[in-house]
Amino acid sequence: MNATPSKHSFGMIGLGTMGRNLLLNLADHNFAVAGYDKDADKVALLGKEGAGKPVEGFAELAPFISSLQTPRSVMMLVPAGKIVDSVIDELRPLLSPGDIIIDGGNSHFTDTERRAKALEAEGFHFFGMGVSGGEEGARFGPSMMPGGDKQAYQVVQPMFEAIAARVDNEPCVTYIGPGAAGHFVKMVHNGIEYGLMQLIAETYAVLKTGLGLDNAAIGQVFTQWNAGRLQSFLLDITKDIFGYIAPDTDHLLLDDIKDEARSKGTGKWTSQVAMDLELPIPTIDTAVAMRDLSKYKALREQLAGLYGPAAGALPVEHGAFLAQLEQAFYFSMVITYAQGMQLLTKASKDYNYDLQLAEIAKIWRGGCIIRSGFLNEIFNAYKGTPDLGHLLLDGQVQKLVNEAAPGSRAVVAAAATAGLALPGYMASLSYFDTFRTARMPSNLIQAQRDYFGAHTYELIGKEGVFHTQWTPEHEDAANKKDVEVGQEHKTEKPVTPNK
Ligand code: 6PG
């Protein structure tokens, strides 16, 4: 191993792609670091790639821990779930009160809350930190979302700020909030990621099936979009994907890839938590659902045979339609971010995370998977109004959305008419139109619930809840039943809500 100082500033448990590259990034910034992994090959790879840098690898946990200066800062980058708990159990006897443990994996925020409480009670500091940007981000500049003990953050802050991506010379890392706030924000980042990826996939379908463009032309569209207001990491990699020829062939690797999407679960968690918080994020929900639907390949083939293939060409003039499609994508992208930001707003209140949405948008401008030019608009919106109730309430965003909405309508209408599935685009447009519906038809749902389940309803301008016998037969039956149970049932009188 390389000659390194006797004590290291930072230790990493888990020398997989992310862990190893984060360590190398730290070493590039002159932090003396140690890495541990049970897999000797991974330790050897660290040694090889860390040659000449202040990096030391260990295959045994105890010497690894002993090599760290105190208070120790130990980060885990291991798969989310039970492994994290078992690593913590191994660490406990080797660490001292005041040491800092950081979980940099995509752990579920409720697991992080549980771990933080237990470890803080034992005198340790615990951080759940979202790390975004994949292998390249870890190596050269991720976006990081640390949540946990604010005091302890000061110990690791210089290291994280040194290695983070930078935008306008500012590090894409900030203290997110207490407890599991960091992992919660990372989860929502991934929910937005799912939504944006779904929109790009649907755009691919419009270009390929709707307009009949070949891969070169499709790649050209993404390249052009990425050079303008749609600039984003996801579009940037997509244009590359449309240029990657499968080895020893004359066609794109993309054309050989199965159309069944997989997931590690963070998008699903986002939808689950949003439902728990009663906070609608339909574009993200749709993205999760479409990944699931894509798995039903055999059934899709059966139904395509029964009902005919989904869609044919769109009867549109390509030039004008492409301009509308750019508008529609921009509109749907804004809506997707807006849904994620509103979920953060709700969670911040419900979980007391005290999230600073401007700061979160700011550190998402670089290093992370959802980085894009539009994040500057989000940053400006929440910087100007920290307690903004919804991104769509921002004046500048309102202007951008109003300009782009017509394109969304045109694309959704054309696709629906042609039978081209655009669930993400359609969910985004309906979300927008529903949120600008001052009186929704939900009064009918309330009436139905009261009719069949006596679940009661509220009346405009009146206090209390009400129940109605909606037909004479119901009235007779109720009176008969009431007589039996001694209650007086009157239409539209305040009643004790049915339990
Ligand atoms: C990131 C990525 C990262 C991981 C994806 C996998 O921010 O760097 O989001 O965390 O690669 O979450 O996502 P899937 O759920 O699609 O597998």
Side-chain angles (χ1 to χ4, degrees):
M1 276 302 160
N2 316 295
T4 55
S6 60
K7 292 293 180 190
H8 302 288
S9 318
F10 190 89
M12 177 69 74
I13 297 176
L15 298 179
T17 304
M18 292 295 287
R20 189 177 73 253
N21 281 292
L22 273 174
L23 274 190
L24 294 171
N25 188 347
L26 281 162
D28 281 350
H29 291 84
N30 303 315
F31 293 102
V33 294
Y36 161 77
D37 200 296
K38 287 194 170 88
D39 181 339
D41 292 341
K42 288 181 178 167
V43 178
L45 182 58
L46 176 70
K48 180 164 159 278
E49 294 182 352
K53 301 176 191 293
V55 177
E56 187 170 2
F58 294 83
E60 299 295 325
L61 187 59
F64 161 76
I65 294 296
S66 307
S67 78
L68 301 177
Q69 71 188 32
T70 56
R72 300 180 188 88
S73 298
V74 184
M75 184 163 169
M76 301 177 288
L77 256 171
V78 297
K82 292 198 180 342
I83 296 179
V84 175
D85 293 305
S86 59
V87 170
I88 289 172
D89 289 343
E90 284 183 76
L91 277 175
R92 269 194 179 87
L94 301 172
L95 297 181
S96 319
D99 285 348
I100 297 168
I101 305 171
I102 302 157
D103 174 9
N106 279 333
S107 293
H108 194 284
F109 79 104
T110 54
D111 289 336
T112 301
E113 289 290 1
R114 165 176 57 81
R115 292 169 183 142
K117 281 191 178 63
L119 289 166
E120 300 283 345
E122 297 166 50
F124 301 114
H125 302 291
F126 186 70
F127 282 92
M129 179 162 78
V131 180
S132 182
E135 178 176 0
E136 190 174 322
R139 184 69 185 82
F140 299 109
S143 170
M144 292 177 282
M145 295 146 257
D149 180 325
K150 190 160 191 175
Q151 259 42 64
Y153 181 64
Q154 290 162 23
V155 175
V156 292
Q157 181 175 357
M159 287 185 273
F160 291 161
E161 290 186 351
I163 65 169
R166 301 184 83 83
V167 173
D168 299 340
N169 199 30
E170 290 195 86
C172 292
V173 59
T174 188
Y175 174 76
I176 296 291
H183 272 153
F184 190 94
V185 168
K186 176 56 168 65
M187 175 192 71
V188 175
H189 163 279
N190 282 29
I192 294 169
E193 173 187 304
Y194 277 46
L196 298 175
M197 291 168 74
Q198 176 66 24
L199 293 174
I200 294 173
E202 291 179 19
T203 306
Y204 165 41
V206 172
L207 297 171
K208 182 181 171 78
T209 306
L211 301 187
L213 300 187
D214 63 17
N215 286 329
I218 295 170
Q220 192 50 33
V221 170
F222 286 130
T223 302
Q224 281 165 1
W225 283 10
N226 192 46
R229 65 176 182 168
L230 290 177
Q231 179 279 327
S232 72
F233 169 77
L234 284 171
L235 278 183
D236 198 43
I237 67 169
T238 301
K239 75 170 174 29
D240 293 345
I241 290 166
F242 275 90
Y244 189 90
I245 302 297
D248 310 324
T249 75
D250 60 354
H251 60 264
L252 290 187
L253 174 59
L254 177 65
D255 290 341
D256 293 340
I257 293 176
K258 283 189 175 181
D259 64 334
E260 297 163 57
R262 306 292 175 214
S263 307
K264 289 191 181 144
T266 48
K268 176 183 70 175
W269 296 345
T270 310
S271 290
Q272 288 172 326
V273 172
M275 293 252 174
D276 290 342
L277 294 175
E278 298 181 343
L279 193 285
I281 55 169
T283 307
I284 295 170
D285 296 339
T286 298
V288 174
M290 289 307 108
R291 290 203 187 188
D292 292 339
L293 194 149
S294 74
K295 298 182 181 81
Y296 292 84
K297 179 71 175 177
L299 181 55
R300 287 193 278 121
E301 287 173 328
Q302 263 186 294
L303 292 171
L306 271 181
Y307 292 92
L314 296 174
V316 294
E317 193 280 313
H318 283 198
F321 187 78
L322 282 172
Q324 289 173 323
L325 184 59
E326 191 273 352
Q327 278 189 4
F329 182 87
Y330 187 83
F331 173 90
S332 306
M333 174 196 75
V334 172
I335 294 296
T336 303
Y337 278 116
Q339 290 172 12
M341 299 312 283
Q342 203 199 6
L343 177 55
L344 291 179
T345 301
K346 184 73 163 63
S348 185
K349 286 192 191 82
D350 287 21
Y351 298 139
N352 297 313
Y353 284 154
D354 189 26
L355 299 179
Q356 304 303 310
L357 268 59
E359 292 308 300
I360 291 169
K362 190 163 137 182
I363 67 167
W364 281 353
R365 293 181 305 167
C368 66
I369 302 293
I370 65 168
R371 61 188 187 262
S372 71
F374 183 68
L375 276 159
N376 283 305
E377 302 289 356
I378 301 176
F379 168 68
N380 293 332
Y382 286 99
K383 190 73 182 165
T385 315
D387 60 350
L388 189 64
H390 194 292
L391 187 60
L392 291 176
L393 291 170
D394 174 73
Q396 172 60 11
V397 172
Q398 178 196 8
K399 178 175 166 292
L400 296 168
V401 163
N402 279 334
E403 286 166 0
S408 175
R409 295 194 192 291
V411 168
V412 165
T417 306
L420 183 59
L422 292 190
Y425 277 90
M426 292 175 182
S428 302
L429 182 58
S430 291
Y431 172 86
F432 173 69
D433 284 338
T434 307
F435 246 130
R436 63 197 194 102
T437 303
R439 180 147 169 86
M440 288 173 64
S442 318
N443 52 329
L444 179 56
I445 293 169
Q446 285 294 85
Q448 291 165 335
R449 291 179 66 248
D450 188 61
Y451 187 116
F452 63 66
H455 294 303
T456 74
Y457 54 84
E458 295 154 287
L459 288 173
I460 298 168
K462 279 190 181 177
E463 287 298 314
V465 292
F466 301 84
H467 169 54
T468 290
Q469 302 305 336
W470 291 88
T471 65
E473 294 73 27
H474 281 92
E475 185 69 38
D476 294 346
N479 288 337
K480 182 173 176 305
K481 192 175 78 170
D482 289 348
V483 167
E484 280 161 19
V485 299
Q487 284 177 2
E488 181 64 20
H489 251 275
K490 284 278 177 253
T491 298
E492 295 193 9
K493 282 272 183 287
V495 296
T496 309
N498 294 284
K499 295 288 174 264

